[in-house]
Every structure is written in C-alpha cells, then in structure tokens.
Amino acid sequence: MHNNETIRPLTGQDYKTLSLAALGGALEFYDFIIFVFFANAIGQLFFPPEMPDWLRTLQTFGIFAAGYVVRPLGGIVMAHFGDLLGRKRMFTLSILMMAVPTLAIGLLPTYASIGLAAPILLLLMRVFQGAAVGGEVPGAWVFVSEHVPARYTGYACGVLTAGLTFGILLGSLVATGLNTAYKPDEVLAGAWRIPFLLGGVFGLGAMYLRRWLHETPVFAEMAQRKALAAEMPLKSVLRSHRGAVTVSMLLTWMLSAGIVVVILMTPALLQKVYHIDARTSLVANTVATLGLAFGCIVYGVLADKLGAKPVLFVGALLLAICTYVFYTTLRAQPELLLPLYGLTGFCVGVVGAVPSVLVQAFPAQVRFSGLSFSYNLSYAIFGGLTPVVVTLMLKNDPLGPAWYVIGVCAIGMLTALFIRPIRGQL
C-alpha cells in the first residue's frame, strides 16, 4: 500500500461501499437464518408425524447444518473466481444464489402433500443457500477491507459483521411479528411461508443495489500490474500459508460457536429447557442480537486501536464468563433474562474483531481464497457439528451449551496468542 493510502481518512465513497455491502449481507444472512426461527414448524411439516420429537429436532437441525456443510465448496469456487476475475462479480452472484432457493422454500409442498420428497427438496434448497453464504461472507470482508485504508480494517469488518447480525435481527423480528400476528396452528397452516417469500424478494432487491458498487482498488491495481495469482490460488494457500489457515480456522470456530449457540440456538433452548414462552424468548433474542451488532463494531474499532491479539484474548475470556453467568442464573432468576442475554450478546461481539485478523493473514493475490477456505471449512466442521453436539450434551446436562462455548473460548484465547499479521503487503 502507498503511504498516502494508509493515512487518508474514510471518504463518502467508503461509507457508501460499506453500507451497500452491509445491507446486502444483512438481507442475505436473513435468508440463511430465517430457517432456524421456524425450525419447530418446519420439523412438524416436513417430517413424518409419527417420528419421535427429539429425532425430528435433530433432523431439522441436521438440514439447517447441511447449509453449513456445503459452505466450503461454494466458498472455494466463488473465491477462486473472485481472486481471478474480480471481487465484485462474485459479490453479485452470491446474492442471486441465495434469493432464489429462499423463494423456493416458501413455495415447497410439505410432507403431507409429497411425502419423503419434501424433506429432500428442502435439503437441496438449503444446500444452495449454504453455497451462496460460503461466497458472500468472506467475499464481503475482503471487499470492504480492500476499499478502506489499512488502519480502518477492523472498523470496516466490524461494521460488515454488524450488518450480517442485522440479518439475524431481521429474522428474529419477522419471527416475533409472525408469532404475534398468527396463532401457532395458523403458522403451521401456511403463515411460516411468508418470511421465506419476503426473503427472496429482499434478496433480489439487494442484488439490484449491488450494481452501484465498484471493484476494489487492491484488485484493480493487481490486475493492472498483472500481479494476479499465476496458479490456482488455493494451491498457493495450502502450500505457503498453512499457519494462517490454522489460526483462521480456530478463530472461526470461536466465532461460529458464539453465534450458533448463544444467538441462534438459545431461543429454542429457552423454550424447551427453561420453559420460557416463545414470544419472551424471541424478544430477549432481539436484545441479544442488538448487543451483538453493537459489540461487533466496538470490538472491530478496538482491534484497530489496540491490536487484535489483546482484544481477542480479553474478549474471549469475557464471553466465557458471561455465558456461564447467563446459563446458571436463568433457573433461579428468570426475570434477569433480558439484561443478561443482552450483555452476553454484546460479549459475542468479540467475533467482530475476527475478520480483520483473517483478512490480514493472507497476501492480496490469494486473500479471498485463503480467507474463504479457512473460514468456510471451519464453519462447515464446527458450525455444522455444533447444533448436534450441543443437543447431545443437553441430554446429560442442562448447562451443556455453556460448557461448549466456554471450551471453545479457551481455544480462542490460546489462538489469539499466535496471531501474526502479514505487514507491508499490497
């Protein structure tokens, strides 16, 4: 990077890029996540009625997890072309690949109409969604970090991660609204389709908006200097950047555990384990998600100012403590649900400091491929297994989810000590 590039302030164009990228990310994440809020309804409609309840829950979360398992494939293919043809094209394609299957889920016939074909079609749509998110999230981080001056990388990635979080929030709000406006049997009768149809329309709108984005200056300069990867970018990543891949994968594990357990699974657990009604747990989830969005920006800015290492170390410790307090206090004092969940959500915001480390871990020629491979492979293994592992841990211990998050935070703290950003590269 040229020196004047490092010291320039953020411009109006930077803010426009950030907001368009964050908005698209929010809508795309809404599409990916809305499934989880209607997991109970989907379980009843898409599986045989005689199936035992726990197995149905496991299968529904299994289909949700399938979206994670295919992320590396979608991510690797899209990152490959993102490193060779440009970041912007892949950025637009990923939204289209998300909007269409979301729309399709809203139109799918259920088990009662077409039998076993129903869960199979649902699984197929989920696979497409997963492939799209695999390209979107790493692509968006690379895109915004290459648009802003280097010293704002944490801020840019934090804002974008907060944008993705608003997608979760939007899902939570839509679910709350739907559960307020319709009775449970009306939701089962067809109201559950509304959020998916909405998501498909949102996604197509976001795709239209993305036409206004420019290619990143870093990519444009590499293309001009003919400095693009000469061989398959992923080959170079696996040969020369194994350390960066390991650190990136472990930090992504912490990111996925915080979001999947604390934000996505907890509303269902509050209802099942703590017998808190659906509406209250969704309102609490909204508070936690707002805390998370705010936390992402705060931790991202702190990573710029203080460096990622101390911020991630302390942040992981705080998240472990908060999670323990949250799960152990609920039984005795359920009235503390909102403030405790909000605070825990804010602590999950430490994940906002993770992408800036991932972006800086790889040189620009293979950045998209390196980040996408590490992030998506980790998310596929850990994000996909987390719901299953936590569900099984719950059978023996109601504090299962807390122990899982605490264990992963400990790994995150250790990993933080090994962060070594690549400096001085374009």
Side-chain angles (χ1 to χ4, degrees), residues 4 24 45 63 141 148 172 229 231 277 326 356 384 412:
N4 60 350
L45 292 166
I63 285 189
W141 284 334
V148 302
S172 176
E231 53 176 351
D277 66 280
F326 175 66
S356 64

Side-chain angles (χ1 to χ4, degrees), residues 116-390:
L116 271 180
I120 291 169
L121 281 171
L122 182 64
L123 179 66
L124 196 64
M125 293 306 111
R126 198 63 202 145
V127 162
F128 277 115
Q129 285 189 323
V133 156
E136 162 72 18
V137 181
W141 284 334
V142 170
F143 193 84
V144 297
S145 69
E146 289 187 351
H147 266 289
V148 302
R151 66 196 172 111
Y152 291 110
T153 307
Y155 170 73
C157 291
V159 167
L160 195 100
T161 313
L164 301 178
T165 304
F166 268 101
I168 304 179
L169 185 63
L170 194 59
S172 176
L173 288 172
V174 168
T176 310
L178 222 78
N179 284 322
T180 312
Y182 296 95
K183 297 185 181 67
D185 50 341
E186 292 174 326
V187 171
L188 282 174
W192 68 272
R193 296 180 182 277
I194 300 168
F196 291 97
L197 298 172
L198 266 178
V201 176
F202 282 162
L204 295 169
M207 185 178 148
Y208 177 77
L209 284 176
R210 283 213 168 152
R211 293 176 23 202
W212 309 109
L213 290 171
H214 303 288
E215 185 51 83
T216 78
V218 174
F219 186 86
E221 194 174 325
M222 283 195 305
Q224 207 180 345
R225 287 201 339 217
K226 310 272 188 287
L228 301 175
E231 53 176 351
M232 202 176 155
L234 186 58
K235 209 166 115 186
S236 157
V237 167
L238 294 176
R239 194 187 54 236
S240 317
H241 303 284
R242 284 187 214 130
V245 167
T246 310
V247 167
S248 301
M249 282 185 70
L250 289 171
L251 288 177
T252 302
W253 185 10
M254 181 169 81
L255 178 145
S256 69
I259 289 177
V260 172
V261 179
V262 179
I263 306 292
L264 299 183
M265 288 183 72
T266 297
L269 298 176
L270 289 175
Q271 294 167 52
K272 284 204 160 118
V273 182
Y274 295 94
H275 309 298
I276 292 165
D277 66 280
R279 206 169 161 277
T280 310
S281 46
L282 280 171
V283 170
N285 184 254
T286 304
V287 173
T289 310
L290 271 173
L292 168 59
F294 182 55
C296 283
I297 299 174
V298 170
Y299 277 107
V301 170
L302 286 173
D304 280 340
K305 298 263 186 291
L306 309 171
K309 193 179 285 196
V311 169
L312 280 170
F313 187 85
V314 176
L317 180 63
L318 287 175
L319 175 57
I321 295 167
C322 252
T323 307
Y324 181 75
V325 172
F326 175 66
Y327 278 103
T328 48
T329 313
L330 273 190
R331 272 255 194 292
Q333 294 165 290
E335 70 279 1
L336 290 177
L337 171 66
L338 285 177
L340 278 179
Y341 202 3
L343 183 65
T344 311
F346 177 80
C347 288
V348 176
V350 67
V351 304
V354 170
S356 64
V357 176
L358 272 51
V359 166
Q360 289 168 348
F362 300 96
Q365 286 87 336
V366 296
R367 178 173 292 145
F368 197 167
S369 293
L371 196 162
S372 185
F373 173 77
S374 327
Y375 172 82
N376 283 309
L377 183 62
S378 177
Y379 226 121
I381 299 169
F382 302 124
L385 283 177
T386 295
V388 181
V389 171
V390 171

